[in-house]
Amino acid sequence: MPTLDRQDSVFVLNLGEGENCLQNCLHPDWIASANAAPDEVENAAAPPALLTAATELTVRPGT
């Protein structure tokens, strides 16, 4: 699941990693979580910044 962490006025949205992200990124709960994060950043009191991160996906033939 995506996670949103905050350090001062910088938010980091981590979309997940590897096969876990690849298998779950189309699940409705994953999409809802990813869609809610920018709303939380937008509603922050201080002028925020958003950094989006994920690890490199490895797709193997036949999977």
Side-chain angles (χ1 to χ4, degrees), residues 11-55:
F11 289 83
V12 177
L13 175 59
N14 187 329
L15 298 175
E17 61 182 76
E19 290 182 18
N20 187 36
C21 178
L22 186 60
Q23 292 171 353
N24 294 323
C25 67
L26 296 178
H27 190 279
D29 292 341
W30 190 98
I31 293 170
S33 180
N35 283 336
D39 294 335
E40 184 175 337
V41 174
E42 184 177 29
N43 293 325
L50 175 61
L51 172 68
T52 305
T55 59

